[in-house]
Amino acid sequence: MAVVHPFRGIRYNLKAVRDLSLVVTQPYDRIGPREMEAYLKRSPYNFVRLIGGKTPPQDEGDYARRAELFQAWLRKRILLQDPRPGIYVYHTHFTHDGERFVRQGLIALLDLQESRAKAHERTLRGPKEDRLKLFRATEAHLEHIFLLYRDPERRATRAVEQAIAGRAPDMEARDDFGNAHLVWYIPDEKAIQTVQETLAPLDLYIADGHHRFETARAFMQECLDRGWRPVGPESFTALPVTLVNAAEPGCVIRPTPRVVHSLPGFDLDRFLTDVASGFRVDPIGSLAEAKQRLRAGLGRNVFVAYAGRRFWALSLRPDADLDELVPGDRSPAWKRLDVAILHKAILERWLGIDEEALARQTNVDYTHTAEEAVAAVDEGHGQIAFLLNPTRVEEVMALADHGEPMPQKSTDFYPKLLSGLVAMKMEIEKP
């Protein structure tokens, strides 16, 4: 069951901040030191000053200072709260693999007491502790969780399309990769009711934001244990989410290439000989050909290895015994995942890189693109790179239905939701 509410979103005052592109950011867990420096230089009102980055601050007082800054921006009207509860339509225009897409999303509050969202990732303690400290200090949800749902009839989408027909977006920004993000504010009660009724019986799936979702639930319980009471939906019992219909175009997952490094005694010829027991090994001539081979092998467990300025396609043999190559108490669907086969049947079986080494990134780095992986090997930062196909949305949802977490770095939903478009301040009654 999915219970959602309209809310009075907090947004940048466009009279004070004329170019949203200078103040919005990638999600906090995509912000490293280099990105942090760039965002801080862009504007004194850049949203990174509130959400921080993926490295928790060493100074615990940093969370309180961010909370004070948030309140100061509200007082100075850098940030404004919409006067009436509404939902928000969120369109993202982007290009992926030469094809143009528009991802359509709905921003609303998800009721944490009445709703559930199925996860596909395991979470780590460190990021949850960091976000919990920020929730405590700010008593606000500054970022969104990215959720999926299935609505083949597009009832919710049609309702909001009618509400924004002929209107220019209320907000528009471009992200660091040139993608356009457009948002419309909809206080229309009829459209809101249709969205609520459509979503009510549907299952929800977390695409991005597993750590924040778990932390929001933990903070809710912490508040309830203190005897605090929510004042309406805009409180600790709900959090803002962007809901995307998986039945529509634009729900894109990118693959995450792996770059293997620092293996003592790594021998490329021996590896290719060993892996041939479970995979057909075919030399290929270029990165363009490698990408073509991967596209042709989508759903058939095909990989590309790159080392010594040469490429090889690794295709799982039809007669391969998956239970032998991917041992363990896992479902057949899990064992058929490209990323599971890469981890278990290639990295662990033939290169000795087990789950613990993957978690520590002792011998594996991850890149966003195939080009970055190839460059890392060419520049001596890796011994061999592995390119793979993206996990499919239906695979993510099927495994979430069974409560079976996917292997590390299985999904990279693209583009990421921008932080700084719409936030929510919690109204709390404290005894």
Side-chain angles (χ1 to χ4, degrees), residues 394-408:
E394 56 267 28
E395 292 176 315
V396 175
M397 299 172 87
L399 288 170
D401 280 335
H402 289 90
E404 195 168 18
M406 302 180 80
Q408 185 178 11

Side-chain angles (χ1 to χ4, degrees), residues 134-329:
L134 186 61
F135 290 169
R136 288 169 178 162
T138 60
E139 295 183 359
H141 283 298
L142 302 175
E143 297 183 282
H144 300 184
I145 310 301
F146 184 173
L147 299 181
L148 303 175
Y149 66 97
R150 291 190 188 97
D151 178 20
E153 296 179 357
R154 302 180 71 247
R155 285 188 60 213
T157 305
R158 286 202 310 270
V160 298
E161 283 176 344
Q162 293 173 5
I164 66 172
R167 280 178 49 195
D170 297 295
M171 293 180 284
E172 185 170 359
R174 289 200 174 268
D175 65 23
D176 300 321
F177 310 101
N179 305 311
H181 299 251
L182 289 67
V183 178
W184 290 260
Y185 165 55
I186 301 180
D188 181 81
E189 293 182 3
K190 184 178 179 181
I192 292 169
Q193 183 178 357
T194 300
V195 169
Q196 290 174 314
E197 292 173 352
T198 300
L199 293 174
L202 303 183
D203 290 327
L204 300 179
Y205 302 82
I206 302 175
D208 271 337
H210 288 76
H211 290 90
R212 282 166 283 160
F213 185 82
E214 286 190 18
T215 306
R217 292 186 61 82
F219 183 66
M220 175 180 70
Q221 190 58 53
E222 187 176 284
C223 293
L224 292 172
D225 290 345
R226 291 177 177 175
W228 295 0
R229 296 178 182 177
V231 180
E234 296 167 17
S235 194
F236 57 81
T237 50
L239 82 161
V241 297
T242 295
L243 300 132
V244 171
N245 184 3
E248 297 189 50
C251 196
V252 169
I253 300 177
R254 297 193 304 184
T256 302
R258 275 68 171 158
V259 178
V260 173
H261 61 86
S262 308
L263 284 180
F266 172 72
D267 186 302
L268 176 60
D269 291 334
R270 186 176 65 197
F271 166 75
L272 293 173
T273 299
D274 289 343
V275 81
S277 63
F279 296 81
R280 176 177 167 177
V281 180
D282 297 310
I284 49 181
S286 66
L287 180 56
E289 187 180 343
K291 289 183 175 182
Q292 185 178 12
R293 183 67 67 92
L294 286 171
R295 283 193 292 270
L298 184 64
R300 296 202 297 271
N301 307 125
V302 175
F303 309 89
V304 169
Y306 177 76
R309 299 189 180 274
R310 292 179 291 166
F311 295 91
W312 293 267
L314 311 178
S315 307
L316 185 69
R317 295 186 181 278
D319 59 350
D321 185 348
L322 266 186
D323 288 329
E324 179 186 354
L325 289 175
V326 187
D329 185 18

Side-chain angles (χ1 to χ4, degrees), residues 42-43 59 257 333 349 395:
R42 285 183 193 173
S43 169
D59 179 4
R349 185 181 184 88
E395 292 176 315

